Structure formats: C-alpha cells, structure tokens
Amino acid sequence: MIPDLNAIEEAARRIDPFAHKTPVLTSVNLDELTGGQLFFKCENFQKAGAFKFRGATNTIRSLPGDALKKGVATHSSGNHAQALSLAAQMMGVEAHIVMPENSPKVKVAAVKHYGGNITFCKPTLQAREDTLKDVIDKTGATEIHPYNNHTIIAGQATAARELIHDVPGLDIIVAPVGGGGLLSGTALSTYYLSAKTKVFAAEPEQADDAYQSFYQGKFIPSVNPNTIADGLRTSLGSLTYPIITKYVDQIVRVSEEGIIKAMKLIWERMKIIIEPSAAVPLAAILENTFECRKKRIGIILSGGNLDLDKLPWIQ
Amino acid sequence: MIPDLNAIEEAARRIDPFAHKTPVLTSVNLDELTGGQLFFKCENFQKAGAFKFRGATNTIRSLPGDALKKGVATHSSGNHAQALSLAAQMMGVEAHIVMPENSPKVKVAAVKHYGGNITFCKPTLQAREDTLKDVIDKTGATEIHPYNNHTIIAGQATAARELIHDVPGLDIIVAPVGGGGLLSGTALSTYYLSAKTKVFAAEPEQADDAYQSFYQGKFIPSVNPNTIADGLRTSLGSLTYPIITKYVDQIVRVSEEGIIKAMKLIWERMKIIIEPSAAVPLAAILENTFECRKKRIGIILSGGNLDLDKLPWIQ
C-alpha cells in the first residue's frame, strides 16, 4: 500500500533515535546567482553519507525478530549498500551485500567499514540477481530492495517531512530521481504536509527514464544510462512509478556539464561536499528548466559519497 | 591594550548582526579514530569563508565616521583581503587591497567579488609595504593589519567564545597559528570564559616560527616558510607574540603529509570543505603530538577557501 501520512510519521518516530536530523542550509551567494530563495536539506550529512540510511533503518526496524536473526540482503554497489550495512550493524543484524567485482575500491571499503558481508559477482544485472538469490537461499536473509519497497519509500519521505517542518511555505521542492525512492517519498510527504508546494524532479538527460515514462504515460526503463550522477542510473520501479505519476508535478532534465558546474558551485560557495547526483536539482535551476525567481525552493541534497581522488573538473 | 573580557563581549555584540554564528559539528567516525571527543567550530562556513570576517567586521565597525569615509586598506593575498573587502562592502566603505601580481586567480577573483579595490605590486614584502603606504598616502584610508591589531584579535576571539558557550567543559581547544590573531583571540576567550580549558596551538613544521619563539623565549620570525597551509606562513606580530607567550599552554608541530591526510579525512568523513590551514589541529591529534584520548577537544576549523582545481592529493 502506498505509504499514508501515518506510515511516514511512524517511520519518522522509528528512525529518530538513529538518523541525523540533518540541517537546512542557505546561501546568500547562490540566492543572488539564481534569483530564488534556496533551502538545502543536507542529506550529505546523514549517517553513511546519504538519505538512504533513512529507508534502510525504517525497513530493518520494521522486520519481525525471527527475520532479523537471518539478516538482510541486497545487491548494490552504491549508497544503499553502505546504508543497509550500517543500519544493520547498529541493530546487531547481518547485512549480506552482493556487489559487482568491478565496484570502485572506495565503495567496497565503505561497505566493509560498516560491517557489510560482501559477496562479489560478475558485473551484470543477471549475475547480481542470481547471486543475491543464492545468498538468500543459503541464509534465509530478507531482501531489502533499494527503492521498490513501500517501507523504504516511507523512510526516505522523512527527509522532506523534516524540510517542510523546518521551512514552511515552500513554493517548490526539487529532488533528484533515479529509482524514485527519494522522489516518491518527497512527493508523498509534500502532498500530505504542504499541499500547495509543487514537487519537481531533476534527472540527467543521459538517464532520463523517469522523464520519458512520466510524459509518455508508460513505464520506459533506462537503456545504458551514462551519467556522472551514479546514483541516478537506475530505472523507476513498479512501486515508485505510479506514485511519481500521481504526485509529482514536473520532471526536468539537465546536461552532464550542468551537473558538474552545479556540484563545483556548491562545493565552492557552501563549503560542503556533495556527490554528483545531489547537484542535479541545482543544475536544473541554473539551466533554467523552470522559473525560480523569487520562489522559495527546497532542494534535497541527496548525498556526499564520492571518490575524492577523482573529481570531474580535474583531469 | 590586550583585549579584556569586555572588549571581546563588545566585539561579539558588534559583529552579531553581520557574522554567522557558525555551527559546531561532531563526527562519531573521527572520535572513534582518535579516541577523543572532538568538537569542530566551523569557521569555514563563516562569511567570506574564514574566521577573518570576525576581526575585519569588528575593526571596521569600531572606526569613527570620518575615517570610514576615507576607506580601509591592507596588503594581503589571503583570507584577510576577502574578509576586509566584504566587511567594508557591507558598510558601504571602500576597501583598498594591495596584492602581489602573482596572486592566484581565484584569490583575485574573490576579492573583486566582494568589491575590494585591488592595487597590484611586485611579489616582495618591501613592494607590498611600499605600495600600501602609497595607497594610504593617496586615499587617507586606515590600515587594517591582518593580525597585529587588538581590535582584530578581539574579533577573532569571538569564535572561541561561541564554541565555549556551545560546548561547556572542554579539556583542550586547539587552533592553528600563523600570525597569531586567531590563536591570541582563542587563548584570551578561553582564559576569561573557561579557565580550566588548555589552549594548544598547532603549526606546520615547515613554518614553525611560533614554536621556536614560544620555546626559545624570544621572537624568531619565519624564514622562507614553505607549507601547503598557506594561511600559516606569516610570522607572529609584536602584539600577538606576548599574548601567546602568556596565555597559550603548548605549541605542537605537524608534517606536511599529516596536514594533507587530516584535510582529506575531514572532507571524506565530515563532508565539509576546509583549507589546508584548518586541517593542522586535526593533524596534530593524528600525529600524537599530545594526549587526546577521552578528552573533550574543541578544534577551530579556521577556513574553507582554496582552489578546487588543485587538490594536494591529486597530481
């Protein structure tokens, strides 16, 4: 069932003792530059460095005790793997993480750091799914999908819920969209708690499955998405697509150049580290994909995990 | 006269409407790594990106009206130039900045961004001083020295004052030391407001004039300091040296490698951008220059201005 307000409030109570209530930052400088009034919800400061910790914690802590004994499992090389590992570790639960054998070293190290039990596989979706199935058959662990899961969505919804509580009267909230977990949660919280606020999604042009699906009115998956915003390469899921269709107002697309420019601008002017995916909403504003002048705009800075040895503006 | 508590409280009231009350951040991760309990006072989030805005604002706003009409002046290629420019701009006062002609482009651009009126000179101390004298002769502007000025020191003291208010019962406060304005202010605020807290200074081995002066008991200037911590290359001044001698407990030195490592660690784990100078206190902890286990330690993160195109860990 699509999370109702009660499910989101329950998620908020459930994760409250464990997740950071992240700050909302503003920047006179970026307001001057864009003409809008921007409020940045800093999920880059969330535990494990991204909003994913909210959904993972909400989901693990909703499982019955006998399921917990057998652990949780997922296939992911990204922020969900780190978040699930840490959320599980904090409960003394085992997290089985299936990762492609070509995953970047920093990501493998991060999952290990948070106590995740890694099984490597060939770098294909088929191999990831088969290996995950093997792990689950062997351990009895519960699969926790990174976004196609209503408890995950309710957890991610708590970020926008906090933003709306901290900053009333927003005209627009912009979230990036990949698999759609964050966007679905953002749209639901906004619908329940700030119905006059519009919800916009920002997506890389080079991974625009959500845009295509939204405007063509049918589910169209990404084919070989190639964007620096590595958190946004996934396609919408069967649970996130209908929520987005119903509760999101607009999906806009941005260039790769625009993502890098917005990312560097946030680093420079706000002195905070965000990953490329988190720069996509500001890129959408800088590329004038919608009118932002004199509007109060909430922006979800989704995460801050990246390899500091490889920055897109340094060759 | 060395600023008394009243001078610091006045500075706090004077800058309060203009400066950010910067946040104090903690990191479970860095606490685990060091064994201490660390409280980071984030002056990298201060206006113009460094603590320098405090002293500049306090000093400009202490000047009489007829002096203000003629503007303020300094020679600096660093954070003081940006801070003085912005503090002056916010008051509608002209800031004359003498900068060496080989100053990095980003620094020149930043001073221009804040409305500073730049005069370039040859890159020698003599040329800087001569050119500044010319500018002052011509304009009648008031010279604002970056650190050898009691009103500047009282302004910088407000950072530690805020930290002490936010985090009572610190065992140690560590500040980096260059010219000694921040360190003097930190030591005075701590002496007046939290007398049991020790004050440590952290300095690059390769620019260790404060260390040498402190332990040899006589003023010894830096000779060709060569450190990545560009904010800490200056020598102590005639006003900061005696304050440091009297009110600082210990000065410790760190390696260049240690500075880079600490800087990257803060970027990675805390998701915030600090400049090399700001990493020197954490480097001192990581290099075991003093016992920090189980201690409550305040760290002044002095600033966040650097060229993002040139990171020390990327060749």
Side-chain angles (χ1 to χ4, degrees):
Chain A
M1 202 179 74
I2 290 180
D4 56 13
L5 179 57
N6 191 44
I8 295 171
E9 294 296 341
E10 254 179 34
R13 277 192 295 276
R14 204 175 278 128
I15 72 172
D16 178 67
F18 311 104
H20 289 310
K21 188 175 171 302
T22 54
V24 176
L25 298 184
T26 57
S27 164
V28 172
N29 203 298
L30 293 179
D31 285 356
E32 282 171 7
L33 192 71
T34 60
Q37 210 183 340
L38 310 184
F39 299 90
F40 295 90
K41 176 67 173 167
C42 290
E43 290 297 298
N44 55 326
F45 293 154
Q46 188 50 267
K47 289 212 172 127
F51 73 90
K52 296 274 187 181
F53 182 76
R54 296 176 182 269
T57 295
N58 188 44
T59 306
I60 290 183
R61 289 180 186 267
S62 303
L63 293 176
D66 51 342
L68 289 176
K69 282 184 198 141
K70 295 176 182 167
V72 293
T74 198
H75 67 78
S76 162
S77 61
N79 287 335
H80 177 62
Q82 299 181 36
L84 191 68
S85 298
L86 179 59
Q89 187 185 54
M90 287 169 73
M91 258 194 116
V93 166
E94 187 140 31
H96 302 278
I97 311 291
V98 173
M99 296 183 86
E101 59 197 14
N102 63 350
S103 300
K105 271 186 201 168
V106 284
K107 300 208 169 187
V108 174
V111 169
K112 282 187 183 162
H113 175 75
Y114 294 125
N117 184 3
I118 302 176
T119 306
F120 290 103
C121 68
K122 300 267 174 225
T124 67
L125 183 59
Q126 191 63 49
R128 288 165 67 145
E129 287 176 349
D130 290 349
T131 309
L132 179 59
K133 192 171 173 303
D134 285 352
V135 167
I136 288 172
D137 285 349
K138 212 178 291 172
T139 59
T142 303
E143 179 179 357
I144 313 282
H145 191 278
Y147 52 87
N148 213 35
N149 174 323
H150 281 137
T151 323
I152 289 282
I153 292 170
Q156 319 305 31
T158 61
R161 176 185 168 276
E162 287 175 9
L163 173 60
I164 289 164
H165 282 187
D166 282 357
V167 189
L170 289 169
D171 296 302
I172 302 168
I173 294 181
V174 196
V177 56
L182 176 66
L183 178 59
S184 296
T186 300
L188 291 173
S189 276
T190 306
Y191 175 75
Y192 299 135
L193 299 168
S194 184
K196 287 184 182 165
T197 305
K198 304 256 183 236
V199 175
F200 289 3
E203 191 175 36
E205 279 166 7
Q206 294 185 191
D208 70 346
D209 67 291
Y211 176 90
Q212 297 299 344
S213 302
F214 189 78
Y215 289 108
Q216 295 190 34
K218 61 182 179 188
F219 177 66
I220 299 171
S222 274
V223 179
N224 298 325
N226 176 23
T227 171
I228 190 174
D230 55 346
L232 310 182
R233 288 177 194 147
T234 41
S235 301
L236 295 183
S238 57
L239 301 183
T240 55
Y241 173 55
I243 297 174
I244 288 167
T245 301
K246 184 160 179 195
Y247 296 99
V248 169
D249 293 284
Q250 209 170 309
I251 300 185
V252 296
R253 293 177 299 174
V254 304
S255 70
E256 293 296 299
E257 256 176 53
I259 296 170
I260 295 169
K261 189 180 156 194
M263 178 178 159
K264 194 177 180 193
L265 207 55
I266 287 177
W267 284 41
E268 259 175 17
R269 305 297 165 87
M270 298 181 67
K271 311 297 180 193
I272 62 175
I273 293 195
I274 60 162
E275 61 191 57
S277 303
V280 172
L282 181 63
I285 291 174
L286 294 172
E287 294 194 334
N288 296 309
T289 58
F290 61 90
E291 179 56 44
C292 78
R293 295 192 68 78
K294 303 198 176 163
K295 296 229 160 67
R296 287 163 65 82
I297 304 178
I299 288 176
I300 316 266
L301 293 179
S302 48
N305 293 328
L306 78 163
D307 185 348
L308 290 175
D309 292 326
K310 288 178 196 158
L311 299 185
W313 55 80
I314 302 182
Q315 296 308 322
Chain B
M1 202 179 72
I2 291 182
D4 57 13
L5 179 57
N6 190 44
I8 295 171
E9 294 296 340
E10 254 180 34
R13 276 192 296 276
R14 203 175 279 129
I15 72 172
D16 178 67
F18 310 104
H20 289 310
K21 188 178 171 303
T22 54
V24 177
L25 298 184
T26 58
S27 164
V28 172
N29 202 297
L30 293 179
D31 284 356
E32 283 171 7
L33 192 70
T34 59
Q37 210 183 338
L38 309 184
F39 299 88
F40 296 90
K41 176 67 172 167
C42 290
E43 290 297 298
N44 56 327
F45 293 152
Q46 188 50 268
K47 290 216 171 121
F51 73 91
K52 297 274 188 181
F53 182 76
R54 296 176 181 270
T57 295
N58 188 45
T59 306
I60 291 184
R61 289 179 186 269
S62 304
L63 293 177
D66 52 341
L68 288 175
K69 282 184 198 142
K70 296 176 183 169
V72 292
T74 197
H75 66 79
S76 162
S77 60
N79 287 334
H80 177 61
Q82 300 180 35
L84 191 68
S85 298
L86 178 59
Q89 187 185 54
M90 287 169 72
M91 258 195 115
V93 167
E94 188 141 30
H96 301 279
I97 311 291
V98 173
M99 296 183 85
E101 59 198 13
N102 63 350
S103 300
K105 271 186 199 167
V106 286
K107 300 208 169 184
V108 174
V111 170
K112 283 188 181 161
H113 175 75
Y114 295 125
N117 184 3
I118 302 176
T119 306
F120 290 103
C121 69
K122 300 268 173 225
T124 66
L125 183 58
Q126 191 62 49
R128 287 165 67 145
E129 287 176 350
D130 290 349
T131 309
L132 179 59
K133 193 173 171 303
D134 284 352
V135 167
I136 288 170
D137 284 349
K138 210 177 295 172
T139 59
T142 303
E143 179 180 357
I144 313 283
H145 192 278
Y147 52 88
N148 213 33
N149 174 324
H150 282 138
T151 322
I152 289 281
I153 293 170
Q156 319 307 28
T158 61
R161 177 185 167 276
E162 287 175 9
L163 172 60
I164 289 164
H165 283 186
D166 283 357
V167 189
L170 288 169
D171 296 302
I172 303 168
I173 294 180
V174 196
V177 57
L182 176 66
L183 178 59
S184 295
T186 301
L188 291 173
S189 275
T190 307
Y191 175 75
Y192 298 135
L193 299 168
S194 184
K196 287 185 181 166
T197 304
K198 303 255 183 238
V199 175
F200 289 4
E203 191 175 37
E205 278 165 8
Q206 295 185 191
D208 69 347
D209 67 291
Y211 176 91
Q212 297 299 345
S213 303
F214 190 79
Y215 289 108
Q216 294 190 35
K218 58 181 180 189
F219 177 66
I220 300 171
S222 273
V223 180
N224 297 324
N226 175 24
T227 171
I228 188 173
D230 54 346
L232 309 182
R233 288 177 195 147
T234 41
S235 301
L236 295 183
S238 58
L239 301 184
T240 55
Y241 172 56
I243 297 175
I244 289 166
T245 301
K246 183 158 179 196
Y247 297 100
V248 169
D249 294 284
Q250 207 171 310
I251 299 185
V252 296
R253 294 177 300 173
V254 304
S255 70
E256 293 295 299
E257 257 175 53
I259 296 171
I260 296 170
K261 189 180 157 194
M263 178 178 160
K264 193 175 181 195
L265 207 55
I266 287 177
W267 284 40
E268 258 174 17
R269 305 297 165 86
M270 297 180 69
K271 311 297 179 192
I272 62 175
I273 292 193
I274 59 163
E275 60 192 57
S277 303
V280 172
L282 181 63
I285 291 174
L286 294 172
E287 294 193 334
N288 296 309
T289 58
F290 61 89
E291 179 56 43
C292 78
R293 296 192 67 78
K294 304 201 175 162
K295 296 230 159 70
R296 286 163 67 82
I297 304 178
I299 288 176
I300 316 266
L301 292 179
S302 47
N305 292 328
L306 77 164
D307 185 348
L308 291 175
D309 292 326
K310 288 178 195 157
L311 300 185
W313 54 81
I314 300 181
Q315 298 306 324

